[in-house]
């Protein structure tokens, strides 16, 4: 029944009864709230679109009038409602502050449950919330508990009542693919993968590659404390990362200098038969020390850089601007001295910031409320900017992708919503 597009008569009956209760004996469209006089005017609509995987279940069914249903098409309800509110706003109708902020009310219709953090949920209450969610989405994942729009309780309840997510999914009839794994099966699929691809790394351990997860491997091969050790002992693959000794580093650098005339930081890579700069710092402290030992020309940067010179560089770097640093990576991309120099003079980047009066912005997702995110994105769109790439969000002073996805199912969603409203407003000028 849940896999068919049409709702059953029993579901329709329950939806009508619920609608009658909600609107005091009248049947009303859930979108425009207009009264409907007969069953012929009712459209039984999927709240979460069938085309996007929404189920034909009671929890995912609502009554719309024909006009609203045709306009909604396969849009999610809150998207549709925002568009309708924007049109009402642009036509001169008076709206409250609900245009954006109260879309959470629409989300309450989707999940149909509210979670009150002030009191503990019983197992029955928790199970009802989980069942409603699974009826709507067809599955449940750990990340779903971190998305505020899902209106799910803390993942703590999973551990409290079921021990782990796999046990919960099994209790609700969701197949746990990890239960199909065994020691022999894990070894077989990994060997097959290596035969085709030449190697396997932790980042390859994904369902889309037909491979078990890293925790799954450790569950069946608990005697191995790392994936590298597992690869070596079970798959016969030696660690591709060479363990360098100080003597080997020196002996590898001298012939490179003899052949090329110099050796700089950009040359430190496996393709040249050399260790990484991280290894050089570990054994020699600086690149310059290593250059001297192997007879390479020493860069100009080998001269001693004083704290006074660094602090003058900070003054020149910021000028009259506020001394705000978004991240270390972005800062050192344009600051004239490298991080190694800063660490040697100040001990840590945090101490450097404290001494020089630089404020370090911590962009942890927990620091953003939904209003913070909406305000930032609204301003970005209102200023006429295009949707940035996900990797450029924080560079542009916007919340990170992870922060946005605490409140939206797709990080681009609020950008698209505001652009839709902004474009509609421009058309009506």
């Amino acid at each position: 029944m849940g896999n068919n597009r049409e709702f059953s008569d029993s579901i329709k009956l329950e939806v009508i009864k619920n609608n009658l209760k909600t609107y005091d004996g009248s049947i009303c469209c859930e979108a425009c709230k207009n009264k409907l006089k007969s069953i012929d005017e009712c459209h039984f609509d999927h709240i979460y679109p069938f085309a996007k995987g929404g189920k034909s279940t009671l929890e995912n069914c609502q009554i719309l009038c024909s006009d609203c249903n045709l306009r909604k098409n396969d849009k999610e309800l809150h998207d549709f409602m925002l568009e309708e509110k924007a049109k009402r706003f642009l036509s001169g109708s008076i709206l409250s502050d609900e245009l954006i902020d109260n879309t959470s009310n629409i989300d309450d219709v989707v999940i149909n449950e509210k979670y009150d953090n002030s009191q503990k949920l019983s197992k029955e209450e928790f199970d009802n919330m989980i069942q409603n969610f699974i009826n709507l989405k067809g599955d449940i994942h750990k990340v779903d508990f971190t998305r505020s729009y899902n209106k799910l309780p803390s993942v703590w309840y999973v551990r409290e009542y079921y021990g782990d997510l796999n046990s919960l999914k099994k209790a609700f009839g969701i197949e746990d693919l990890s239960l199909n794994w065994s020691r022999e099966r894990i070894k077989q699929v990994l060997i097959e993968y290596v035969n085709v691809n030449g190697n396997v790394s932790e980042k390859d351990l994904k369902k889309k590659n037909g491979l078990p997860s890293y925790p799954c491997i450790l569950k069946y091969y608990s005697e191995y404390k790392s994936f590298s050790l597992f690869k070596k002992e079970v798959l016969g693959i030696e660690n591709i990362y060479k363990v360098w000794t100080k003597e080997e580093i020196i002996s590898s650098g001298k012939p490179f200098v003899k052949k090329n005339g110099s050796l700089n930081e950009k040359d430190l890579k496996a393709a040249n038969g050399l260790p990484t700069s991280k290894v050089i710092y570990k054994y020699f402290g600086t690149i310059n020390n290593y250059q001297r030992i192997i007879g390479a020309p020493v860069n100009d940067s080998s001269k001693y850089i004083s704290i006074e010179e660094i602090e003058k560089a900070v003054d020149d770097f910021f000028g009259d601007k506020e001394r705000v640093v978004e991240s270390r990576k972005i800062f050192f991309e344009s600051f004239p001295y490298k991080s190694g120099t800063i660490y040697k003079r100040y001990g840590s980047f945090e101490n450097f910031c404290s001494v020089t009066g630089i404020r370090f912005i911590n962009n942890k997702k927990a620091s953003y409320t939904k209003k913070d995110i909406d305000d930032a994105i609204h301003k970005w769109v209102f200023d006429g900017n295009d949707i940035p790439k996900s990797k450029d969000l924080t560079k542009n002073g916007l919340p990170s992708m992870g922060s946005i996805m605490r409140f939206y199912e797709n990080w681009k969603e609020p950008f698209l919503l505001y652009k839709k409203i902004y474009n509609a407003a421009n058309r009506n000028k």
Side-chain angles (χ1 to χ4, degrees):
M1 178 178 65
N3 293 330
N4 297 325
R5 187 180 187 98
E6 291 297 320
F7 293 102
S8 67
D9 288 341
S10 61
I11 288 177
K12 291 179 180 178
L13 177 61
E14 287 300 314
V15 171
I16 291 172
K17 287 162 59 178
N18 292 337
N19 191 283
L20 284 166
K21 289 179 183 177
T22 301
Y23 298 103
D24 297 324
S26 297
I27 302 292
C28 295
C29 171
E30 294 287 1
C32 67
K33 309 305 179 186
N34 288 334
K35 289 185 180 180
L36 305 175
K37 297 178 180 179
S38 74
I39 191 68
D40 295 332
E41 297 181 0
C42 294
H43 284 239
F44 294 90
D45 171 70
H46 290 78
I47 298 172
Y48 189 79
F50 183 84
K52 296 182 180 179
K55 306 295 182 181
S56 299
T57 58
L58 175 61
E59 294 79 11
N60 197 38
C61 183
Q62 66 179 347
I63 292 176
L64 296 181
C65 67
S66 58
D67 288 343
C68 286
N69 188 49
L70 291 172
R71 288 200 300 274
K72 177 174 180 280
N73 198 9
D74 279 334
K75 297 174 183 176
E76 290 189 43
L77 180 61
H78 75 284
D79 190 345
F80 167 71
M81 292 291 283
L82 279 172
E83 191 169 351
E84 292 302 300
K85 289 177 182 179
K87 289 177 182 176
R88 284 160 49 204
F89 176 78
L90 292 169
S91 67
S93 299
I94 298 175
L95 296 178
S96 65
D97 292 336
E98 67 178 1
L99 184 60
I100 294 296
D101 293 341
N102 283 359
T103 55
S104 59
N105 294 335
I106 301 166
D107 287 337
D108 290 340
V109 176
V110 176
I111 301 302
N112 228 0
E113 293 285 353
K114 294 182 181 179
Y115 170 49
D116 182 3
N117 286 294
S118 64
Q119 61 184 40
K120 181 179 177 181
L121 292 173
S122 67
K123 185 174 184 300
E124 182 180 3
E125 291 172 324
F126 175 69
D127 286 351
N128 286 336
M129 296 179 73
I130 298 301
Q131 188 63 67
N132 287 340
F133 186 86
I134 292 174
N135 288 344
L136 184 62
K137 297 297 180 72
D139 201 349
I140 191 166
H141 304 91
K142 188 174 181 180
V143 70
D144 292 324
F145 291 89
T146 69
R147 307 302 191 205
S148 64
Y149 51 77
N150 285 333
K151 298 294 186 293
L152 289 174
S154 166
V155 74
W156 175 86
Y157 283 97
V158 177
R159 297 190 291 270
E160 175 74 4
Y161 293 130
Y162 290 94
D164 57 56
L165 188 61
N166 285 337
S167 298
L168 179 145
K169 294 175 77 166
K170 184 177 180 181
F172 284 85
I174 298 174
E175 182 185 7
D176 178 13
L177 298 179
S178 67
L179 297 178
N180 297 326
W181 293 109
S182 65
R183 285 176 67 97
E184 294 73 21
R185 177 68 178 153
I186 289 172
K187 181 178 179 180
Q188 177 189 347
V189 297
L190 286 171
I191 289 176
E192 289 173 356
Y193 187 87
V194 170
N195 288 340
V196 173
N197 298 280
N199 204 339
V200 63
S201 63
E202 277 190 50
K203 65 181 178 62
D204 299 320
L205 300 175
K206 298 177 181 176
K207 187 186 296 184
K208 69 177 184 179
N209 291 332
L211 300 178
S213 66
Y214 178 53
C216 181
I217 292 174
L218 292 185
K219 174 182 177 181
Y220 287 95
Y221 287 88
S222 56
E223 65 269 32
Y224 300 107
K225 303 305 179 185
S226 69
F227 188 58
S228 297
L229 189 58
F230 168 81
K231 285 170 60 175
K232 180 179 179 181
E233 299 294 331
V234 179
L235 305 180
I237 300 175
E238 291 287 345
N239 194 338
I240 60 172
Y241 301 104
K242 179 178 176 58
V243 178
W244 290 88
T245 65
K246 192 170 184 178
E247 292 71 23
E248 287 176 326
I249 297 171
I250 294 171
S251 62
S252 67
K254 287 181 176 179
F256 185 90
V257 173
K258 186 176 181 180
K259 179 181 178 182
N260 298 281
S262 65
L263 187 150
N264 298 301
E265 189 166 358
K266 64 181 178 60
D267 300 316
L268 296 170
K269 48 190 175 183
N272 291 331
L274 297 169
T276 63
S277 57
K278 183 177 179 180
V279 175
I280 298 298
Y281 288 127
K282 175 183 176 182
Y283 284 103
F284 302 96
T286 66
I287 300 294
N288 303 139
N289 289 340
Y290 180 54
Q291 289 171 327
R292 293 188 189 95
I293 291 172
I294 61 176
V298 178
N299 296 335
D300 291 337
S301 60
S302 61
K303 68 186 179 86
Y304 181 83
I305 299 171
S306 67
I307 287 180
E308 290 75 18
E309 289 176 298
I310 294 173
E311 292 180 0
K312 183 180 183 306
V314 170
D315 291 338
D316 294 340
F317 183 78
F318 288 103
D320 295 330
K321 297 179 182 177
E322 186 180 5
R323 295 189 175 188
V324 176
V325 175
E326 184 179 337
S327 74
R328 302 179 198 194
K329 180 181 177 182
I330 294 174
F331 177 72
F332 284 116
E333 283 177 354
S334 50
F335 191 66
Y337 299 122
K338 294 184 178 180
S339 59
T341 301
I342 300 300
Y343 296 141
K344 280 188 291 185
R345 300 291 179 268
Y346 293 89
S348 68
F349 183 70
E350 287 73 18
N351 192 43
F352 164 69
C353 290
S354 176
V355 171
T356 56
I358 296 173
R359 183 164 58 88
F360 182 66
I361 298 176
N362 187 350
N363 278 323
K364 290 184 178 179
K365 63 182 180 182
S367 64
Y368 285 96
T369 65
K370 184 175 184 297
K371 187 176 187 306
D372 291 335
I373 289 171
D374 286 341
D375 287 346
I377 294 175
H378 171 266
K379 183 179 186 307
W380 176 263
V381 173
F382 184 78
D383 288 343
N385 298 303
D386 291 328
I387 300 175
K389 295 180 180 178
S390 59
K391 64 183 179 65
D392 295 330
L393 286 168
T394 56
K395 290 182 181 179
N396 289 308
L398 293 165
S400 68
M401 182 173 69
S403 297
I404 297 171
M405 289 186 65
R406 289 181 62 233
F407 304 100
Y408 294 95
E409 292 195 51
N410 185 301
W411 72 268
K412 289 185 178 180
E413 182 180 358
F415 287 95
L416 294 171
L417 292 175
Y418 278 107
K419 283 183 75 70
K420 192 177 296 183
I421 293 172
Y422 178 74
N423 291 337
N426 283 341
R427 285 197 301 271
N428 285 270
K429 283 183 178 179

